Amino acid sequence: MAGETILKVNNLKTSFATKAGRVQAVRGISFEVRKGEVLGIVGESGSGKSVASLSILRVLPDNATLSADSIDFGGQDLARLPKKEFRKIRGARISMIFQDPMTSLNPLMTAGRQVEESLLEHCPQMGRQAARRKVLELFGRVRMPDAESRYRAYPHELSGGMRQRVMIAMALSCDPELLIADEPTTALDVTIQGQILLLLKELRGAADLSVIFITHDLGVVAGICDRVLVMYGGLVMEEGLTGELFSRPAHPYTLGLLASVPRLDQPKDKRLRPIAGSPPDMLAPPAGCPFFPRCEWARNVCIDGRPECARLSPTHKSMCWLLQPDAPGEGNPFRKAGGAYAG
Ligand SMILES: Nc1ncnc2c1ncn2[C@@H]1O[C@H](COP(=O)(O)OP(=O)(O)OP(=O)(O)O)[C@@H](O)[C@H]1O
Ligand SMILES: [Mg+2]
């Protein structure tokens, strides 16, 4: 596979202690991010996408417990790195942008000043003058219209799209190797969404930046991601190149997600079918495949245990019993339905 690996997550588990019990948000996920790629993480609400990324950055609330065999980032294990060392990485070599910039921006400080402050925090030797120049340069890179006057604007004086550009400028200020973008466009209208996506695409091309792009929208995945992880119930159900996932979905959950998004290559009048049923209770997730209660092809074996991942290509794998050649049960109706690889 092309590209050097910059992040390798190995068996990450994160849970939260609550009054009702332990919420098992992420239950053992493993994946890699390669240099210069955009890796999408997609799944319905509650599937563990945000918790997975917050775990990598170790910005979890006090009631959280994280464990991992390793989270390798450039030879350092992020799961075991002392807090002080981690501070040098977070916001500098790995940075993050969120859905709603308003909650992350300080309303009392001008846009330019905020980017400047975050820059100086990580590079104090830089000096005010140089930092200011760098901020204006960053505003240019994120295509901020009229950068000079936006530098002096307060967050409430900016549109949603401009605020997100400020956040992206801040995230890029220390030339990160990895940018984690958690639903960065969902709060924006469609045209602005498109502009921000285009910007992220341009940026990663120009800077050799790797991006983890979190979204529940498969349409967005198709436009920006090279590879995709499909998460459900705190687990990775399927992983593959974006093209593989769209042309040969290999998990009934992915098939369900695909049937519930509008696609340009399908007739307009084709009805969209949301997946029936609701996500599992993460206080007591099923022992087997978490999707079995909603899966039309589920068998007894799916209830009892999780299958190994089936490899469908060097880049494509799926955690589904129906792809296990020796799984108990007659025939393979999922394959007949056009979901997985034929034969
Ligand atoms: N601080 C917390 N305490 C308890 N449970 C939590 C906490 N944060 C998240 N969870 C739970 O962890 C699970 C995964 O949440 P997460 O926010 O990762 O979902 P998500 O896939 O990002 O969903 P969305 O698309 O809605 O953002 C959910 O069941 C959620 O309720
Ligand atoms: Mg989320």
Side-chain angles (χ1 to χ4, degrees), residues 1 34 227 239-241 244 311-317 341:
M1 251 175 280
R34 299 196 186 90
R227 242 160 26 89
E239 174 187 333
L241 300 176
E244 290 176 318
R311 272 202 180 272
L312 302 149
S313 86
T315 44
H316 193 183
K317 51 188 177 184
Y341 290 38

Side-chain angles (χ1 to χ4, degrees), residues 44-51 53-54 99 182-183 214 216:
E44 286 170 302
S45 185
S47 53
K49 308 181 297 294
S50 295
V51 172
S53 60
L54 297 174
Q99 178 175 342
D182 191 353
E183 311 250 11
I214 298 173
H216 57 265

Side-chain angles (χ1 to χ4, degrees), residues 149-193:
S149 71
R150 295 291 145 52
Y151 183 97
R152 292 186 301 271
Y154 286 91
H156 73 270
E157 297 172 313
L158 300 173
S159 67
M162 286 181 207
R163 278 182 216 137
Q164 196 54 289
R165 283 174 206 270
V166 175
M167 290 308 298
I168 297 173
M170 204 182 287
L172 293 178
S173 61
C174 293
D175 296 317
E177 291 145 71
L178 177 63
L179 174 69
I180 303 179
D182 191 353
E183 311 250 11
T185 61
T186 10
L188 304 170
D189 75 49
V190 178
T191 323
I192 309 291
Q193 260 188 38

